Amino acid sequence: MVLLGWCASGNNNDGPQIAALWGPIATFVCLGLEHSVANMFILPLGMALGADISALDMASNISVVALGNAAGAALLLGGMQKLSLFGPSAWNNNKGPTSSNKPYR
């Protein structure tokens, strides 16, 4: 999803920015990965092509997936940040950084 922001920032015009977003999102969708941004892309597209999906179905799907994405990102990114800052010893105690548990560098 970071690639989306990178692709869109490469141009100042709306048309090329929107066109640059389609490739990464379509790839994400084709891989079958559940992500709220990918679902915001594929569900309205399916609805426009005649799929039997209501706006309530889309909203409930996107909200559940967004909550899952947020929880996964918080745990994964928070855990990796803690590991990168405090090293492997950060998992042995819950005291936070002290003189014996300085940031790992």
Side-chain angles (χ1 to χ4, degrees), residues 31-45:
L31 289 172
L33 302 173
E34 279 288 323
H35 196 281
S36 56
V37 175
N39 289 358
M40 285 183 229
F41 174 81
I42 196 70
L43 293 175
L45 181 63

Side-chain angles (χ1 to χ4, degrees), residues 11-22:
N11 199 315
N12 293 332
N13 298 327
D14 290 339
Q17 285 180 339
I18 292 169
L21 297 177
W22 274 71

Side-chain angles (χ1 to χ4, degrees), residues 34-37 39-40 43 55-71:
E34 279 288 323
H35 196 281
S36 56
V37 175
N39 289 358
M40 285 183 229
L43 293 175
L56 183 61
D57 292 336
M58 280 196 307
S60 64
N61 178 282
I62 290 171
S63 63
V64 170
V65 172
L67 287 172
N69 292 156

Side-chain angles (χ1 to χ4, degrees), residues 35-36 65-82:
H35 196 281
S36 56
V65 172
L67 287 172
N69 292 156
L75 294 174
L76 181 65
L77 295 177
M80 289 297 109
Q81 184 176 17
K82 184 175 180 177

